[in-house]
Amino acid sequence: MFEIAVVACLLFVVLLAGSVWIGLSLFATGYLMLSIFKPNIPMDIFGSGVIWGAMIPTPLLSLPLFILMSEVLVSAGLGRSLFSGLAPWVGRLPGGLLHVNVVGSTLFAAVSGSSAATTAIVGNVSLPELKARGYDRNLAMGSLAGAGTLGFLIPPSIIMIIYGVVAEQSILELFIAGVIPGLTLAAFYMIYIAVHQTVTGTQPHVERPTRAELLGGLRDIGPIALLIGTIMGALYLGFASVSELAALGVLGAVLISVAMGRFSLRAMISAGRRAVRTSAMIGLIVIGAALLNSAFGFLGIPKAIAGQIAAFGLSPMALIVVLLVFYAVLGMFLDGTSIIVMTLPITLPLITAAGFDPIWFGIFVVVAVEISQITPPIGFNLFVIQSQTGESIGVIARAALPFFGILLGFAILLAIFPDLALWLPRTLQ
């Protein structure tokens, strides 16, 4: 079975190298593996049943809605409002306006759910402003690359929705479990920025903000903070399901757009088209991965690999370290959605057998996928920043290296102290 798995991986890599879409590559790999090794399985029954099963989970309805909410806020110029609103409040801290990358990404992550979108929206405004004000270019790019990954960890998170559907876990619990780790990771980023700027003494001078500037900042970020508070409050108090929260978020995003005077039919149509395009891409990946995982199931690959790993007799912590390396390597070639839907049939049984909580593992996997976002050569956040700065991937990857290290250390910390993720869900229950 191990040889079949190797053949499947090689075939998938060849298809990706041929510029075939990820979803179609997953579908084709599964189909060809069954055609070659299990030709007696009726392909029409296999295909239609798996596709239907992958698309009917109710929580998936929230996915396009959260994406639409994010796109509506992008059309409303959220990035500039975040920078102008946060600058007076963080400018005098050690690290100065570099903290806008972290705090802005944290806030946008709470209404986005996407790492790449968070990096793009915050970076479009912050990078030119930080460059014009004389801040360390490498630290600006690195902090943006690291903070942008918070789009996966702080709810509502697209990756958490995918994990919850595939692993059959409560998405509400996953959302709640991601709050403390997300805020903790953001705090680590800010501490590093403050220490770096204090030690190097490279922080430009920032004038003390006036009371009018502070109040103006609150006015700029107030609508976003209100939307976040409404969604989080409904989430924690159990007033709405995930899909209802997503619909509430879309309504709130439209109202914010109107309140800011940036609502237009053309902008809404454009936001809707972008949301449809992104949702269709993710849907194709989910379907393709479901077909591939079903093919692997028919071939007995997950059971064989799990048995081989179990035979090594790894301790629970050693297993976590191996999986962390495994996900980091996969992240060099695949996006987060593909990684999760492809690997869970193999990794989740291993984790539960080792005594780990599936909700905790969801947060751990999200952190591992965050690491992949800034891992060359296919780290998506690196490409987003490259498109904004024109720098090479190598330069941006070196700038992001300290934040890569922070993420690795945080993943180990999460394994040592699982209550970082589990305390809040247990308390609210």
Side-chain angles (χ1 to χ4, degrees):
M1 288 302 170
F2 182 75
E3 292 78 6
I4 297 177
V6 171
V7 171
C9 291
L10 290 175
L11 176 59
F12 181 63
V13 170
V14 169
L15 290 170
L16 286 181
S19 298
V20 179
W21 290 351
I22 293 176
L24 294 180
S25 296
L26 293 168
F27 180 94
T29 301
Y31 186 88
L32 290 173
M33 287 297 98
L34 281 181
S35 299
I36 295 170
F37 297 106
K38 291 282 186 178
N40 57 321
I41 295 177
M43 290 297 177
D44 54 342
I45 297 176
F46 163 74
S48 60
V50 172
I51 289 174
W52 177 251
M55 288 290 98
I56 61 173
T58 303
L60 273 182
L61 177 62
S62 63
L63 192 64
L65 290 173
F66 278 127
I67 293 171
L68 178 59
M69 177 182 70
S70 170
E71 294 294 350
V72 170
L73 290 172
V74 169
S75 298
L78 176 63
R80 184 155 299 281
S81 296
L82 282 177
F83 189 92
S84 60
L86 292 172
W89 289 93
V90 304
R92 298 284 292 181
L93 296 176
L97 296 180
L98 286 166
H99 291 302
V100 171
N101 278 344
V102 180
V103 181
S105 295
T106 302
L107 289 174
F108 189 73
V111 292
S112 163
S114 166
S115 174
T118 300
T119 304
I121 297 306
V122 176
N124 277 337
V125 178
S126 70
L127 289 180
E129 291 283 351
L130 293 172
K131 180 180 180 181
R133 300 182 193 204
Y135 281 88
D136 185 313
R137 180 72 162 165
N138 285 337
L139 191 54
M141 293 189 298
S143 61
L144 177 63
T149 64
L150 293 170
F152 281 161
L153 191 54
I154 294 178
S157 165
I158 293 173
I159 289 292
M160 286 185 189
I161 295 173
I162 299 296
Y163 176 90
V165 170
V166 176
E168 298 181 348
Q169 298 297 315
S170 167
I171 294 174
L172 282 174
E173 282 192 54
L174 287 166
F175 279 2
I176 295 169
V179 174
I180 291 179
L183 295 179
T184 304
L185 184 57
F188 285 167
Y189 287 155
M190 294 182 71
I191 290 171
Y192 173 78
I193 292 170
V195 171
H196 181 281
Q197 291 296 82
T198 301
V199 170
T200 59
T202 56
Q203 179 175 330
H205 175 73
V206 178
E207 295 292 336
R208 183 180 297 274
T210 65
R211 180 175 296 181
E213 288 173 333
L214 292 173
L215 292 175
L218 288 179
R219 186 169 56 250
D220 283 335
I221 63 176
I224 306 302
L226 179 61
L227 177 60
I228 294 170
T230 301
I231 293 176
M232 293 296 103
L235 172 67
Y236 299 149
L237 297 174
F239 286 162
S241 67
V242 176
S243 299
E244 291 166 343
L245 284 175
L248 178 65
V250 173
L251 176 61
V254 173
L255 293 177
I256 287 175
S257 179
V258 173
M260 297 173 70
R262 297 170 183 172
F263 178 86
S264 71
L265 186 59
R266 181 187 296 273
M268 293 303 105
I269 292 175
S270 177
R273 286 176 175 170
R274 292 195 301 270
V276 168
R277 190 180 301 116
T278 303
S279 301
M281 177 194 70
I282 294 175
L284 184 60
I285 291 174
V286 170
I287 290 173
L291 288 164
L292 179 61
N293 289 334
S294 294
F296 279 0
F298 279 116
L299 295 170
I301 292 175
K303 185 177 180 180
I305 293 178
Q308 195 153 357
I309 294 176
F312 292 146
L314 298 174
S315 67
M317 191 55 64
L319 176 62
I320 289 299
V321 172
V322 169
L323 289 179
L324 186 60
V325 174
F326 170 67
Y327 278 114
V329 172
L330 280 183
M332 298 172 67
F333 308 101
L334 293 173
D335 67 287
T337 302
S338 303
I339 291 172
I340 285 181
V341 294
M342 284 180 61
T343 61
L344 275 188
I346 297 173
T347 59
L348 189 58
L350 289 172
I351 284 296
T352 53
F356 290 100
D357 189 288
I359 295 294
W360 171 87
F361 186 58
I363 305 304
F364 177 83
V365 167
V366 169
V367 174
V369 169
E370 284 185 327
I371 294 172
S372 75
Q373 292 293 109
I374 56 176
T375 304
I378 312 294
F380 278 77
N381 285 16
L382 304 182
F383 281 110
V384 172
I385 297 173
Q386 183 188 41
S387 69
Q388 295 169 332
T389 63
E391 299 282 358
S392 68
I393 289 293
V395 169
I396 301 170
R398 284 193 295 273
L401 191 58
F403 298 90
F404 178 87
I406 291 172
L407 271 170
L408 280 177
F410 183 74
I412 299 299
L413 184 68
L414 192 62
I416 297 173
F417 301 104
D419 276 351
L420 273 173
L422 296 178
W423 177 81
L424 190 57
R426 287 172 179 166
T427 301
L428 291 180
Q429 284 178 349

